[in-house]
């Protein structure tokens, strides 16, 4: 994911910046009760997960001995 996408993380995930393209605003209460609105902490946790997975994929692509599954 390019740096610009990380810089606009809150706007994308909590602010509905891509609603016109079809991505809902996860910072608002939803019409489906099983979907809870996300907090800033949730957004941070998801971003940390995305970054960790990206590093994992990068290390695997380089054949690094430190790569984990
Ligand atoms: C917590 C879950 C999600 C996260 C963290 C997330 C995050 C993102 C990010 C970072 C981007 C790229 C924005 C950019 O590059 O500026 C993006 C784009 C997009 N997302 Fe999500 N997303 C989530 C869930 C969803 C869901 C459930 C949908 C569809 C129902 C969706 C639809 C889209 C679409 C259509 C785009 C492309 C927007 C465009 O082309 O401009 N996302 N999302």
């Amino acid at each position: 994911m390019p740096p610009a996408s990380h810089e606009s993380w809150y706007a994308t995930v909590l602010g509905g910046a891509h609603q016109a393209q079809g991505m809902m605003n996860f910072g608002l209460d939803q019409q489906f009760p099983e979907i809870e609105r996300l907090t800033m902490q949730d957004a941070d946790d998801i971003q940390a997960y995305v970054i960790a997975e990206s590093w994992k994929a990068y290390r695997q692509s380089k054949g690094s001995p430190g790569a984990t599954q």
Side-chain angles (χ1 to χ4, degrees):
M1 185 178 289
S5 299
H6 281 290
E7 283 158 18
S8 52
W9 188 259
Y10 289 133
T12 300
V13 179
L14 301 178
H18 292 271
Q19 268 182 310
Q21 288 81 28
M23 178 169 166
M24 63 208 277
N25 185 339
F26 289 101
L28 296 178
D29 286 328
Q30 305 298 326
Q31 54 183 315
F32 308 104
E34 66 272 25
I35 302 177
E36 290 173 27
R37 69 192 287 173
L38 299 183
T39 63
M40 285 181 81
Q41 184 62 58
D42 292 330
D44 289 344
D45 291 348
I46 295 166
Q47 189 176 25
Y49 172 78
V50 168
I51 291 169
E53 288 298 310
S54 299
W55 275 113
K56 219 193 283 181
Y58 175 75
R59 290 193 191 99
Q60 281 172 356
S61 75
K62 299 289 176 195
S64 160
T68 51
Q69 290 306 312

